[in-house]
Amino acid sequence: MTSAAAPRTRTAAFTLRDWGLLAGVALMWGSSFLLIEIGLAHLQPTTVTWLRILFGALTLGCVPAARRRIARADWAAVAVLGLVWLAAPFTLFPLAQQSISSSLAGMVNGAAPLFTMLVATVWSRRLPTGRQVSGLVVGFAGVLAISWPAVQGASATALGAGLVLLATLFYGIAFNMAVPLEERNGALPVIWRAQMVALLLVTPLGVVGVRDSSWSWPAMLAMVALGALSTGLAFAFFTMLAGRVGAARGSVTVYFVPVVAIVLGVLLAGESVAMIALVGTALVLSGAYLTSRKERDPVAVSVGIVDDADNEEERTDERGR
């Protein structure tokens, strides 16, 4: 990984601002599947990856705060973040979906919070709390229930599933890396520079893919929205959320992505919803509730100490920060 310090455990209950960040990210990431589908009708997968990162970087680059300097010691870690959070997963998913359905890929991707918890445990050498584990497991069960009707009879190969699992593992690493970097430098400067690194890595294949793509206003507008919202603002919002509540707890946002996708499918495409998907939605909400509740730091509790920083943060939030 990197030599960066492990992120401090966050145990305070989610505030209204935390829920607002979570909802915003879920809406933008949940709509990305529809936007990608529109883009793939005319664009090559590598070009879709290139354009979404390009428009995301252009969007954040217009915000003065994103251009603030970061510590020189963090440059290498930010470059790795650009690889594991953006360039690698955004490339692996289109490759995987040549031999695995998008619905099955989405279901496997739902394991990202579990990978995030595993990476956080190994990195910090601190076991997660029982309530946090329960919330993440219940939420993942909800993702399985939501996705189950769509994956029935779906074709898949071991290679395709393996590529999605690898991409999901990269997400788990990236979520944990982003937190200490954001704490030291701010969310916008970190994610914007990570996007610039990813853009440098994916541009060659993206430009090559332009030759086999065709022009379409709907496809280009979808890419602008995919980049500006799902890849620009959403990543910045998620980095802020993870910095406030911790990587593992913030990653529960991923569980809401299929819920948003279902709602969009019903509203925009007239799709029907299976009863098990409704049950899954209830499980996702229950898992999010369990994960969001205030908990004591396990180490602090074991020695009879409460984290003063967490207490001060909670008091500040209660005053309406």
Side-chain angles (χ1 to χ4, degrees), residues 265-280:
V266 172
L267 296 179
L268 301 180
E271 298 176 354
S272 59
V273 181
M275 180 58 67
I276 191 173
L278 296 178
V279 174

Side-chain angles (χ1 to χ4, degrees), residues 85-166:
W85 199 1
L86 296 156
F90 285 4
T91 301
L92 289 172
F93 272 103
L95 292 175
Q97 288 182 215
Q98 294 179 338
S99 57
I100 186 174
S101 69
S102 59
S103 56
L104 186 55
M107 185 174 75
V108 176
N109 182 58
L114 300 180
F115 277 117
T116 303
M117 179 176 62
L118 176 62
V119 172
T121 300
V122 173
W123 193 356
S124 66
R125 299 178 183 178
R126 182 177 301 178
L127 292 175
T129 63
R131 183 179 295 160
Q132 180 178 319
V133 173
S134 299
L136 294 177
V137 171
V138 169
F140 184 59
V143 172
L144 294 178
I146 292 171
S147 306
W148 190 253
V151 302
Q152 293 301 296
S155 60
T157 66
L159 176 60
L163 291 176
V164 174
L165 276 175
L166 180 59

Side-chain angles (χ1 to χ4, degrees), residues 48-106:
V48 169
T49 300
W50 173 53
L51 289 177
R52 70 179 298 184
I53 297 176
L54 172 63
F55 288 123
L58 288 175
T59 299
L60 291 188
C62 294
V63 181
R67 301 195 297 271
R68 288 201 310 261
R69 296 185 179 217
I70 65 173
R72 185 180 294 271
D74 286 332
W75 285 2
V78 171
V80 174
L81 185 65
L83 172 64
V84 300
W85 199 1
L86 296 156
F90 285 4
T91 301
L92 289 172
F93 272 103
L95 292 175
Q97 288 182 215
Q98 294 179 338
S99 57
I100 186 174
S101 69
S102 59
S103 56
L104 186 55

Side-chain angles (χ1 to χ4, degrees), residues 199-275:
L199 183 61
L200 181 65
L201 294 174
V202 304
T203 292
L205 289 177
V207 172
V208 170
V210 171
R211 296 181 304 179
D212 298 320
S213 301
S214 59
W215 173 261
S216 164
W217 274 112
M220 289 306 300
L221 291 174
M223 292 303 96
V224 171
L226 181 65
L229 300 177
S230 300
T231 313
L233 295 179
F235 274 72
F237 285 2
F238 178 82
T239 305
M240 295 177 192
L241 176 65
R244 290 171 58 85
V245 304
R249 299 172 80 207
S251 66
V252 75
T253 307
V254 176
Y255 290 158
F256 285 87
V257 171
V259 176
V260 173
I262 284 179
V263 172
L264 291 177
V266 172
L267 296 179
L268 301 180
E271 298 176 354
S272 59
V273 181
M275 180 58 67

